[in-house]
């Protein structure tokens, strides 16, 4: 099978308002063909991730479930290792562990994101606890009373070149938040390959998941773009936190992207009002970055538009996407999964 017709996959990442809502979304995602299912770790805004995953382990049976993503700031490595190892005992479809420097789950608790050095040490520590039951962390010996050799794939969230390199060196998979314009995809794949080879790893063995935020399908193409357009502010926020120099943003757009990202209201992450979403689009237009960011990040339009966009991205090497429920809720998510299933079925026929 060539790269251009390898199956397209969707990871569904759920930021639900209740455990019941998360269960309903996860079971629907599984029934419509999701490749894996994650839940947010953002305590101020959504139910506790590990409690939710414990419930999901009894309702989802055919695909891996996990946290997407936790962080080194609010979760001690022993707590995370214990939680994911316990989940692995009961999750019938498997588990995964997503880790990042921290975003809404950190800033909404009046904390700041971890450094990449802290992230590297955290990943190493959690891995060692899972495999050996012991590790060093902040000059202290840690123990985990658990049978050794618990195998849990670790995914790192990467929104810049430095975090991408770290993920390529250390992770089983990467949640890539850099977008997928043509030149950018080439650079991302090149960085992943270099990072993996530097660590004597097989780059083709790393699971690359491209964060779309959402894929918007509507019979009215313009409306689909409008419904999805606010996502450019959310994704710009990740760029603005530590500067855009390592985010592959052309010089003429850097100031506009930074200002747009700073406008994003993280306290309402994933639950922005309709009026606020429209304000983000208007701001992107006024700042002169709307067309640039739309090409870089958005997958939106009618079914034919979205299908063509996905096929184009697959030809570039992008074939696994992460989406949430922020556009159209569970219905919107199911529509995306159904379209992807149709594309994959067409390839097989």
């Amino acid at each position: 099978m060539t790269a251009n017709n390898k199956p397209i996959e969707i990871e569904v990442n759920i930021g639900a308002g209740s455990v019941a809502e998360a269960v309903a979304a996860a079971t629907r995602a599984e029934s419509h063909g999701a490749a894996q299912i994650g839940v947010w770790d953002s305590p101020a805004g959504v139910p506790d991730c590990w409690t939710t995953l414990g419930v999901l382990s009894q309702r989802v049976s055919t695909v891996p479930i996990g946290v997407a993503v936790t962080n080194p700031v609010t979760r001690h490595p022993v707590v995370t290792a214990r939680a994911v190892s316990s989940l692995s005992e009961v999750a019938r479809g498997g588990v995964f562990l997503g880790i990042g420097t921290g975003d809404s789950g950190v800033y909404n608790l009046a904390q700041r994101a971890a450094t990449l050095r802290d992230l590297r040490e955290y990943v190493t520590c959690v891995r060692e606890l899972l495999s050996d039951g012991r590790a060093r962390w902040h000059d202290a010996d840690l123990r985990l009373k658990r049978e050794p050799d618990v195998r849990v794939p670790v995914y790192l969230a990467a929104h810049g070149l430095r975090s991408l390199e770290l993920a390529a060196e250390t992770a089983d998979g990467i949640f890539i938040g850099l977008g997928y314009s043509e030149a950018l995809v080439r650079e991302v794949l090149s960085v992943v390959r270099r990072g993996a080879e530097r660590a004597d790893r097989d780059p083709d063995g790393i699971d690359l998941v491209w964060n779309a935020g959402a894929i918007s399908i509507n019979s009215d193409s313009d409306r689909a773009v409008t419904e999805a357009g606010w996502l450019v502010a959310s994704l710009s926020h990740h760029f603005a936190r530590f500067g855009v120099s390592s985010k592959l943003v052309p010089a003429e757009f850097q100031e506009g992207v930074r200002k747009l990202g700073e406008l994003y209201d993280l306290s309402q992450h994933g639950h922005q009002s309709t009026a606020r979403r429209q304000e983000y689009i208007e701001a992107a237009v006024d700042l002169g970055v709307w067309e640039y960011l739309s090409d870089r990040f958005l997958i939106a339009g009618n079914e034919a538009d979205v299908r063509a966009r996905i096929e184009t991205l697959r030809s570039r090497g992008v074939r696994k996407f992460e989406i949430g429920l922020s556009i159209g809720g569970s219905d919107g998510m199911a529509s995306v999964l159904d379209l992807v299933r149709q594309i994959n079925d067409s390839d097989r026929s």
Side-chain angles (χ1 to χ4, degrees), residues 262-315:
E262 290 176 349
L263 288 174
Y264 187 68
D265 182 0
L266 195 61
S267 70
Q268 300 298 314
H269 184 50
H271 305 283
Q272 308 283 336
S273 69
T274 301
R276 192 65 172 135
R277 293 181 180 199
Q278 184 60 38
E279 289 175 10
Y280 293 138
I281 296 174
E282 293 170 358
V285 172
D286 292 342
L287 290 166
V289 295
W290 169 249
E291 295 295 336
Y292 166 70
L293 291 174
S294 296
D295 176 64
R296 181 164 177 165
F297 287 119
L298 295 189
I299 305 176
N302 61 35
E303 278 199 8
D305 296 330
V306 171
R307 181 170 187 146
R309 173 79 154 147
I310 289 175
E311 292 283 21
T312 296
L313 293 178
R314 180 165 59 169
S315 72

Side-chain angles (χ1 to χ4, degrees), residues 201-249:
R201 306 179 69 218
D202 177 11
D204 294 328
I206 301 173
D207 188 20
L208 303 184
V209 186
W210 302 75
N211 178 16
I215 296 175
S216 179
I217 303 174
N218 193 294
S219 57
D220 182 336
S221 295
D222 291 337
R223 183 175 177 184
V225 173
T226 299
E227 290 174 344
W230 66 276
L231 290 168
V232 302
S234 175
L235 292 162
S236 293
H237 154 73
H238 287 282
F239 288 7
R241 294 185 308 167
F242 299 113
V244 298
S245 60
S246 68
K247 311 303 192 298
L248 296 173
V249 179

Side-chain angles (χ1 to χ4, degrees), residues 42-320:
S42 189
V46 300
D48 175 70
C49 60
W50 296 111
T51 302
T52 303
L53 287 166
V55 176
L56 292 187
S57 72
Q58 304 305 297
R59 300 295 300 275
V60 173
S61 61
T62 62
V63 297
I65 60 174
V67 59
V69 296
T70 191
N71 66 84
V73 178
T74 64
R75 303 284 185 176
H76 190 279
V78 171
V79 173
T80 294
R82 168 64 70 200
V84 75
S85 64
S86 299
L87 183 66
S88 71
E89 294 183 29
V90 294
R92 291 166 286 175
V95 301
F96 68 91
L97 174 64
I99 307 172
T101 57
D103 192 45
S104 66
V106 169
Y107 286 95
N108 288 336
L109 274 62
Q111 302 292 317
R112 287 187 58 81
T115 65
L116 290 182
R117 178 179 178 180
D118 288 339
L119 182 60
R120 182 188 290 273
E121 292 176 352
Y122 187 82
V123 171
T124 300
C125 182
V126 171
R127 281 191 184 280
E128 291 176 353
L129 288 168
L130 291 172
S131 63
D132 303 326
R134 61 181 61 198
R136 290 282 292 176
W137 174 251
H138 292 175
D139 296 323
D141 291 320
L142 303 182
R143 297 287 186 271
L144 184 71
K145 294 182 179 179
R146 167 79 180 145
E147 290 297 322
D149 297 323
V150 177
R151 179 74 180 100
V152 176
V154 174
Y155 288 70
L156 260 62
H159 294 271
L161 294 183
R162 291 174 57 220
S163 56
L164 188 65
E165 290 175 359
L166 171 60
E169 293 171 3
T170 62
D172 301 293
I174 311 174
F175 294 127
I176 301 170
L178 281 157
Y180 20 71
S181 56
E182 186 172 6
L184 188 140
V185 170
R186 286 197 301 269
E187 181 64 19
V188 165
L189 295 178
S190 177
V191 170
V192 168
R193 183 164 295 277
R194 290 198 306 269
E197 291 175 347
R198 185 164 53 247
D200 197 25
R201 306 179 69 218
D202 177 11
D204 294 328
I206 301 173
D207 188 20
L208 303 184
V209 186
W210 302 75
N211 178 16
I215 296 175
S216 179
I217 303 174
N218 193 294
S219 57
D220 182 336
S221 295
D222 291 337
R223 183 175 177 184
V225 173
T226 299
E227 290 174 344
W230 66 276
L231 290 168
V232 302
S234 175
L235 292 162
S236 293
H237 154 73
H238 287 282
F239 288 7
R241 294 185 308 167
F242 299 113
V244 298
S245 60
S246 68
K247 311 303 192 298
L248 296 173
V249 179
E252 65 267 31
F253 298 121
Q254 289 184 5
E255 184 66 7
V257 169
R258 181 187 65 78
K259 289 181 177 178
L260 181 63
E262 290 176 349
L263 288 174
Y264 187 68
D265 182 0
L266 195 61
S267 70
Q268 300 298 314
H269 184 50
H271 305 283
Q272 308 283 336
S273 69
T274 301
R276 192 65 172 135
R277 293 181 180 199
Q278 184 60 38
E279 289 175 10
Y280 293 138
I281 296 174
E282 293 170 358
V285 172
D286 292 342
L287 290 166
V289 295
W290 169 249
E291 295 295 336
Y292 166 70
L293 291 174
S294 296
D295 176 64
R296 181 164 177 165
F297 287 119
L298 295 189
I299 305 176
N302 61 35
E303 278 199 8
D305 296 330
V306 171
R307 181 170 187 146
R309 173 79 154 147
I310 289 175
E311 292 283 21
T312 296
L313 293 178
R314 180 165 59 169
S315 72
R316 297 174 184 171
V318 178
R319 67 172 191 86
K320 188 169 184 178

